[in-house]
Amino acid sequence: MDWFSQLAFIAVIIAAGFYILYCVIRAAVLSALRAHADEVEENAAIAARIQALQESAEPHTAPQNP
């Protein structure tokens, strides 16, 4: 192999390494975003349950006219 072929081969190997690194980082970020979305959804459901419990615990009184 001449020096140009070796250089091209090394460049391809480096590019493949960067692409694999990109894919791994992208997968990690997407996984973290999905986990965060699930957590937000769970927190919203908990907040809705708390609000429903608070509303059911409030005494229901008739409106008073002055």
Side-chain angles (χ1 to χ4, degrees):
M1 273 214 248
D2 60 341
W3 67 272
F4 184 76
S5 297
Q6 289 177 342
L7 186 63
F9 179 73
I10 292 171
V12 167
I13 295 297
I14 291 173
F18 276 118
Y19 182 72
I20 291 170
L21 183 63
Y22 162 76
C23 290
V24 169
I25 291 172
R26 182 175 175 257
V29 168
L30 289 176
S31 176
L33 286 175
R34 282 190 202 104
H36 179 68
D38 291 344
E39 186 178 334
V40 168
E41 186 177 316
E42 184 179 327
N43 288 344
I46 292 170
R49 278 187 253 147
I50 290 171
Q51 185 177 3
L53 287 172
Q54 287 176 341
E55 289 174 357
S56 67
E58 290 176 357
H60 296 288
T61 58
Q64 298 176 357
N65 293 331

